Amino acid sequence: MIENAGIPAKPADRRLNWRAISLLMVGAALIALGYDDGVPDRGEPLAVSAAMPLLLGLGQTFVIIAGGIDLSVGFVMGLAAVVMARTMQTLTPVDAGLALAAGLVAALLAALVPGAINGTLISRLRVPAFIGTLGMYGVARGAGFLAANGTTVP
């Protein structure tokens, strides 16, 4: 029986795994921020604040793995949020449940349209993803600004 075919065995790698150490340090910091005298009061706002960027990053990860890039994702999300807020403001005096359902549908449609346009530009018309989504970035930003009437939507 041939062992290693004459190739000398590598010595055990004894270097520190900095990725694991960094991950442990971040976890320890989050735990320390989340507990004050045994009461978890700071961790929840941190998790709520991090939810939206994490979800956007998750979606963007799949785009990057596929070999593309989407620069418009942040402003399309902003446009969808403004459309949802405006729809809910209009319908809340009628029925709160209806306002929520209509707001969700309006937000999904507001995000679907730029996504479909980006997809058509990139896959059918062969526009480079960087250029197509950069253009949609500006369009979504302007549409969100117009939908909000240039103010913050309460």
Side-chain angles (χ1 to χ4, degrees):
M1 187 163 134
I2 302 173
E3 292 188 29
N4 295 337
I7 299 172
K10 291 183 180 179
D13 192 6
R14 299 194 189 275
R15 291 181 293 164
L16 290 175
N17 188 344
W18 289 108
R19 289 182 196 144
I21 292 171
S22 299
L23 185 62
L24 289 173
M25 289 174 61
V26 168
L30 290 176
I31 289 170
L33 286 174
Y35 292 95
D36 184 25
D37 297 332
V39 179
D41 59 348
R42 285 187 242 156
E44 184 179 351
L46 179 66
V48 169
S49 297
M52 187 75 67
L54 287 174
L55 287 173
L56 288 174
L58 179 65
Q60 190 73 348
T61 300
F62 294 119
V63 172
I64 291 172
I65 288 172
I69 189 164
D70 188 354
L71 302 175
S72 65
V73 67
F75 282 102
V76 170
M77 186 231 18
L79 171 63
V82 168
V83 168
M84 182 175 181
R86 287 290 186 200
T87 304
M88 290 178 66
Q89 281 179 341
T90 304
L91 295 177
T92 296
V94 177
D95 181 18
L98 173 67
L100 179 62
L104 286 171
V105 169
L108 287 173
L109 289 175
L112 181 72
V113 170
I117 292 171
N118 278 339
T120 302
L121 284 172
I122 294 165
S123 65
R124 301 271 184 210
L125 301 177
R126 303 284 186 223
V127 174
F130 187 87
I131 302 300
T133 60
L134 183 63
M136 186 54 68
Y137 167 102
V139 170
R141 182 178 181 191
F145 183 77
L146 290 174
N149 293 327
T151 62
T152 303
V153 180

